[in-house]
């Protein structure tokens, strides 16, 4: 019988273990299930120490790829360390996952209906929650209203093993600077009359709700993506104000999850872009268009590229909302290839890829385009360093500015912004 390979310890796990073994003073977690949830695995670590660790992660990732950053890495703190998220996704489950404390108690516990977040280690492990300290108190109120309604609706929550059940996901989006709230419920089929009653309940009991929407999906995979969206009551989006822009955010469109930290990221992007030619701008993985729109006032043209149709529609509305007539958007999956209708030349390419980073084909196409400068906004230092090393080695680029912002307090994630310019003659 073959020996099972032990899973390699992650940077986050290693740092937390070392801190605990050293007997360092740890913080008391605000969340009662933080040790079981895994979403905020660094809640016990003092915030100043978290920022140091994140800087180390960026520096270590750079060294792993023989990449030298031009400036010392100092991670700017998030203005809020709790209640900072403007977007949360929760899962329904027919059978809840017990916490470590509950298992240790030896008591016979009810394991029915659950709405909450996933415990690490496998699919279907949903911890039953009463809210989450990462989101606003108003979002917690909406969470409880939906949970109570669903639990007493007579329809079952989704069972990840049998692939049966009605209630699947709850997505809450709230504008930090506007107070607007969107409630999006994903189900396995349409039940408009039932969801209309839910919407009435939500509007009556929660202040600031702008809309209740329903996404219907028959997919058995553990994902809320791909659902057909219908507006049940109100409107299908919220507004948020950020960096001098007013943006529209729908139930499935990407938007930076920490509004206050994102404002600082936009400031850095504009500052870095002002130091290089930026007449023709391309914004890759543009989501709802935030970064590209923030540069539109100083550019002649901005072209955004995004795969999610709903996000692209929101980006186009955001351009109209902010009077940006020099901005256009293209739908394309950059993880599969390079769109043929993308401009063949650009002064500046801004990119904010997913955690997996660039697909090799897309990265090679970017190198072939040879823009004068590339502004990389990365949420994963490891894949960012890998992609930057390729741009330097194969494209002749050199990093000249870098800055890091903590968008995800109490987690090992961090946002790193790097500006690269093309070396003359390369």
């Amino acid at each position: 019988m073959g020996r099972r390979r032990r899973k390699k310890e992650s940077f986050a796990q290693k740092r937390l273990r070392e801190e605990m073994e050293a007997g360092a003073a740890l913080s008391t977690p605000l969340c009662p299930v933080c040790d079981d949830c895994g979403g905020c695995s660094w809640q016990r670590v003092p915030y100043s120490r978290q920022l140091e660790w994140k800087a180390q992660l960026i520096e270590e990732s750079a060294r792993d790829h023989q990449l030298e950053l031009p400036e010392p890495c100092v991670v700017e703190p998030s203005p809020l360390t709790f209640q900072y998220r403007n977007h949360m996704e929760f899962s329904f489950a027919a059978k809840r996952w017990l916490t470590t404390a509950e298992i240790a108690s030896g008591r016979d516990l009810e394991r029915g209906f659950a709405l909450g977040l996933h415990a690490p280690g496998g699919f279907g492990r949903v911890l039953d929650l009463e809210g989450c300290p990462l989101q606003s108190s108003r979002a917690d109120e909406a969470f409880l209203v939906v949970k109570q309604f669903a639990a007493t609706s007579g329809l079952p929550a989704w069972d990840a093993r049998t692939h049966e059940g009605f209630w699947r996901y709850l997505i809450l989006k709230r504008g930090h600077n506007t107070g607007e709230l969107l409630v999006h419920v994903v189900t396995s089929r349409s039940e408009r009359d039932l969801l209309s009653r839910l919407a009435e309940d939500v509007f009556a009991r929660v202040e600031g709700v702008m809309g209740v929407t329903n996404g219907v999906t028959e997919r058995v995979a553990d994902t809320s993506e791909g659902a057909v969206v219908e507006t049940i009551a109100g409107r299908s989006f919220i507004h948020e104000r950020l960096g001098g822009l007013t943006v529209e955010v729908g139930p499935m469109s990407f938007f930076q999850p920490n509004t206050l930290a994102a404002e600082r990221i936009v400031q850095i992007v504009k500052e870095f872009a002002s130091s290089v030619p930026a007449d023709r701008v391309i914004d890759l993985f543009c989501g709802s268009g935030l970064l590209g729109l923030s540069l539109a006032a100083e550019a002649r043209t901005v072209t955004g590229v995004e795969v999610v149709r709903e996000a692209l529609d929101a980006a186009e509305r955001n351009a109209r909302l902010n009077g940006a007539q020099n901005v256009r958007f293209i739908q394309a999956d950059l993880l599969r290839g390079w769109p043929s209708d993308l401009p063949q030349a650009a002064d500046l390419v801004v990119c904010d890829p997913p955690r997996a980073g660039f697909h090799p084909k897309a990265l090679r196409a970017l190198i072939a385009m040879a823009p004068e400068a590339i502004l990389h906004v990365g949420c994963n230092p490891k894949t960012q360093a890998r992609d930057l090393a390729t741009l330097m080695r194969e494209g002749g680029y050199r990093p000249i500015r870098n800055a890091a912002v903590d968008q995800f307090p109490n987690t090992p994630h961090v946002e790193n912004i790097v500006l690269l310019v093309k070396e003359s003659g390369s």
Side-chain angles (χ1 to χ4, degrees):
M1 182 175 179
R3 185 171 59 184
R4 292 183 63 184
R5 297 181 62 185
R6 187 175 180 180
K7 188 176 180 181
K8 184 179 179 181
E9 192 175 40
S10 69
F11 176 90
Q13 293 167 333
K14 179 183 177 183
R15 285 291 180 270
L16 186 56
R17 175 181 55 77
E18 290 174 344
E19 197 81 351
M20 296 180 73
E21 289 176 352
L26 299 179
S27 302
T28 300
L30 186 62
C31 176
V33 298
C34 81
D35 293 331
D36 297 287
C37 173
C40 299
S41 58
W42 282 4
Q43 247 188 80
R44 293 185 179 277
V45 181
Y47 189 51
S48 60
R49 191 76 172 124
Q50 292 182 33
L51 297 176
E52 293 174 7
W53 289 1
K54 294 184 184 199
Q56 290 172 15
L57 174 59
I58 293 170
E59 291 168 345
E60 288 182 13
S61 300
R63 283 197 298 270
D64 287 344
H65 292 275
Q66 292 77 53
L67 171 65
E68 185 175 346
L69 296 174
E71 301 172 68
C73 184
V74 177
V75 179
E76 296 189 26
S78 169
L80 294 175
T81 56
F82 288 99
Q83 295 194 345
Y84 64 84
R85 284 196 67 102
N86 54 39
H87 166 206
M88 288 290 293
E89 178 176 320
F90 302 96
S91 296
F92 288 94
K95 188 176 183 180
R96 74 182 181 92
W97 188 256
L98 298 181
T99 66
T100 303
E102 287 175 326
I103 295 171
S105 73
R107 291 179 290 140
D108 187 16
L109 298 165
E110 170 62 38
R111 295 192 62 183
F113 178 97
L115 175 61
L117 297 171
H118 285 265
F123 72 96
R125 299 181 175 183
V126 177
L127 294 162
D128 192 39
L129 304 178
E130 298 300 313
C132 177
L134 294 188
Q135 66 180 4
S136 69
S137 57
R138 192 63 47 76
D140 272 349
E141 292 174 13
F143 175 93
L144 287 174
V145 170
V146 174
K147 181 180 179 180
Q148 292 164 3
F149 184 95
T152 57
S153 67
L155 292 178
W158 183 255
D159 189 318
R161 298 189 180 279
T162 64
H163 300 151
E164 296 176 341
F166 175 73
W167 302 99
R168 296 205 61 178
Y169 303 97
L170 169 64
I171 296 174
L172 300 172
K173 298 202 171 187
R174 183 175 184 270
H176 179 89
N177 291 326
T178 63
E180 296 184 355
L181 182 65
L182 179 68
V183 177
H184 181 62
V185 182
V186 179
T187 58
S188 60
R189 64 179 186 275
S190 177
E191 291 282 353
R192 188 173 180 88
D193 289 344
L194 175 74
L195 294 174
S196 294
R197 295 199 299 274
L198 169 61
E200 291 176 5
D201 205 9
V202 169
F203 272 96
R205 297 172 60 187
V206 184
E207 185 180 345
V209 176
M210 294 293 108
V212 175
T213 55
N214 175 217
V216 177
T217 180
E218 297 179 351
R219 299 173 64 181
V220 299
D222 186 14
T223 176
S224 61
E225 296 180 0
V228 178
V229 178
E230 178 185 19
T231 303
I232 301 299
R235 65 184 192 220
S236 62
F237 59 89
I238 60 169
H239 288 120
E240 179 62 300
R241 292 191 297 271
L242 190 157
L245 300 171
T246 298
V247 294
E248 178 182 308
V249 183
M252 302 307 295
S253 55
F254 173 77
F255 188 73
Q256 300 289 354
N258 182 335
T259 299
L260 296 181
E263 288 181 328
R264 180 59 185 139
I265 292 171
V266 168
Q267 290 174 355
I268 293 169
V269 166
K270 292 171 71 173
E271 177 189 341
F272 283 12
S274 69
S275 65
V276 295
D279 196 37
R280 300 166 298 173
V281 176
I282 293 177
D283 181 10
L284 304 179
F285 310 97
C286 70
S288 53
L290 176 63
L291 296 182
L293 288 172
S294 72
L295 300 177
E298 304 299 327
R300 180 163 57 88
T301 62
V302 176
T303 304
V305 183
E306 172 59 43
V307 63
V308 179
R309 182 70 250 177
E310 193 223 4
L312 206 63
D313 291 342
E316 291 170 345
R317 289 192 294 270
N318 288 335
R320 292 193 294 271
L321 190 63
N322 291 278
Q325 299 182 356
N326 58 336
V327 180
R328 72 182 184 103
F329 297 96
I330 298 170
Q331 184 177 18
D333 185 356
L334 291 169
L335 299 182
R336 295 189 176 184
W338 199 255
S340 58
D341 51 350
L342 196 65
Q344 298 304 303
D347 301 307
L348 173 66
V349 171
V350 179
C351 50
D352 186 4
R355 289 190 57 78
F358 270 89
H359 188 283
K361 288 183 179 178
L363 199 59
R364 286 195 293 271
L366 175 58
I367 291 171
M369 176 186 280
E372 289 298 314
I374 297 172
L375 216 172
H376 193 295
V377 181
C379 60
N380 182 342
K382 293 182 179 295
T383 57
Q384 182 189 45
R386 178 201 67 199
D387 291 344
L388 295 183
T390 301
L391 290 170
M392 294 171 65
R393 183 178 62 252
E394 300 181 16
Y397 286 91
R398 173 175 57 89
I400 61 168
R401 301 286 302 275
N402 61 280
V405 177
D406 186 16
Q407 245 203 135
F408 309 96
N410 303 305
T411 80
H413 305 304
V414 63
E415 209 85 6
N416 193 40
I417 306 108
V418 180
L419 175 65
L420 304 99
V421 294
K422 195 164 181 63
E423 298 273 29
S424 58
S426 60

